[in-house]
Amino acid sequence: MNTREWALVAFTILAQMSVGSFLVLGAVHFLAKRKAGEAEADRLSDRALLAIGPVLILGMIASLFHLENPANAYRAVMNIGSSWLSREIFFGVLFAAVGFLFAIMQWRKLASPTVRIVVAGVAALIGVALVYSMARVYMLPNQPSWNSAATPLSFFATTLLLGALAMGAAFSVNYTYLKARRQPALQTQSDLLRDALRWIALASIVLLGFEMVIIAADLVDQSTGDAAASVAKIGEEYGAIFVLRVALVFLGAGVFAFFLYKNAASAAKEQVLANLVYGAFALVLVAEVLGRFLFYATH
């Protein structure tokens, strides 16, 4: 793979993780608000929200290295009516803009909570459209290894899995910050953190199973069709990377997530939970990068 293809790996992984993080953050905030009120939910999630934007921006910067001339990037959006690539760029910029607007509104507590929820909902829908557009860019008739349902399904699995674990790590960092600053109501934040990590661990295990089914079904489907050459290439050139990718995602989203779920039921284990969620996120991030590398290298 050349530099331009690695730029696509970085862009797709970082952009999908940003969308997934935004979706998971919204779900956790909703549940935390119902349990402890808006103020405590904001204390759990506001700092995590501010981490999403820089990740998306890094991804968009990385995408520029895929172009022959980055100065002409604006021209790529000109065919939005007929090109999924143009739609991908359009929704990426729009997601960044609306997400930034919501972050400012949420951080400064501008407008009413209802208005902020509406803006967040719009940003979430745009994010989903962005991930779908990404998948459709690659569903080309002349690329049989990409032109299947496995492409959008795997992209959304990556989006939610990385987003969930990234937010779990962010919530743990936020709790460490609050504890170091001797913030009040730490017990409430501890309860919210453990609840959030418990749900995130459970979601990760479910998503792991979903991703394993996608991988297995895709290999079986491609092994006898026009994409058989891609499957053969995995066996001949990239077998070790494929095995490592599967092992890492199983270890992070399966084993680490299991212990995260188990330990989240007990109080006073915040440091253990932090170590588990950091490890799970790191392992799954590496696994998804390897998976995206195989996606481009074997087409």
Side-chain angles (χ1 to χ4, degrees):
M1 281 177 58
N2 56 37
T3 302
R4 293 175 63 191
E5 289 176 318
W6 276 112
L8 289 178
V9 171
F11 166 63
T12 55
I13 290 290
L14 292 174
Q16 287 165 22
M17 182 168 64
S18 298
V19 172
S21 297
F22 194 85
L23 296 174
V24 171
L25 183 64
V28 170
H29 185 274
F30 173 78
L31 295 174
K33 181 179 177 180
R34 292 186 62 182
K35 179 174 182 176
E38 185 173 349
E40 291 300 325
D42 287 350
R43 291 179 69 209
L44 173 71
S45 63
D46 278 0
R47 291 180 183 85
L49 172 64
L50 295 180
I52 297 175
V55 174
L56 178 61
I57 291 171
L58 283 175
M60 296 178 72
I61 292 174
S63 70
L64 296 177
F65 290 92
H66 177 66
L67 303 175
E68 292 284 355
N69 184 1
N72 293 328
Y74 70 94
R75 294 182 179 177
V77 79
M78 298 301 184
N79 298 318
I80 191 171
S82 59
S83 168
W84 282 107
L85 178 60
S86 294
R87 293 166 191 158
E88 175 191 63
I89 296 170
F90 173 76
F91 285 123
V93 173
L94 194 60
F95 176 66
V98 179
F100 178 76
L101 173 63
F102 171 71
I104 293 297
M105 293 175 68
Q106 179 66 17
W107 188 254
R108 296 295 183 182
K109 300 299 181 279
L110 303 177
S112 68
T114 301
V115 172
R116 296 201 298 270
I117 289 173
V118 170
V119 175
V122 171
L125 291 174
I126 295 170
V128 171
L130 168 59
V131 176
Y132 181 71
S133 298
M134 282 184 184
R136 289 302 303 267
V137 166
Y138 299 101
M139 296 176 70
L140 305 170
N142 63 345
Q143 295 291 348
S145 64
W146 289 345
N147 192 27
S148 72
T151 296
L153 290 175
S154 63
F155 274 27
F156 276 106
T158 297
T159 295
L160 295 175
L161 186 53
L162 278 180
L165 291 173
M167 281 297 97
F171 294 144
S172 292
V173 170
N174 179 68
Y175 180 82
T176 301
Y177 170 83
L178 294 176
K179 188 175 182 179
R181 295 290 297 270
R182 300 176 184 269
Q183 294 287 314
L186 269 181
Q187 185 56 53
T188 300
Q189 285 297 306
S190 175
D191 292 342
L192 292 177
L193 173 65
R194 288 188 293 108
D195 285 348
L197 292 180
R198 194 170 172 84
W199 282 107
I200 284 171
L202 183 59
S204 298
I205 294 170
V206 172
L207 287 166
L208 169 65
F210 180 65
E211 192 165 65
M212 291 297 100
V213 169
I214 294 172
I215 292 173
D218 191 42
L219 287 176
V220 171
D221 180 60
Q222 293 191 25
S223 62
T224 57
D226 294 335
S230 294
V231 177
K233 199 169 186 180
I234 291 176
E236 294 170 2
E237 299 181 40
Y238 301 111
I241 294 177
F242 177 80
V243 171
L244 180 60
R245 180 260 195 278
V246 172
L248 289 178
V249 74
F250 179 79
L251 184 61
V255 177
F256 273 53
F258 171 77
F259 286 107
L260 181 64
Y261 180 85
K262 185 175 180 181
N263 282 275
S266 305
K269 289 190 175 182
E270 289 82 6
Q271 189 56 55
V272 174
L273 295 176
N275 292 337
L276 285 169
V277 76
Y278 297 156
F281 172 62
L283 289 169
V284 171
L285 178 60
V286 174
E288 294 301 327
V289 169
L290 292 178
R292 198 56 49 85
F293 164 82
L294 292 172
F295 178 80
Y296 290 108
T298 62
H299 76 277

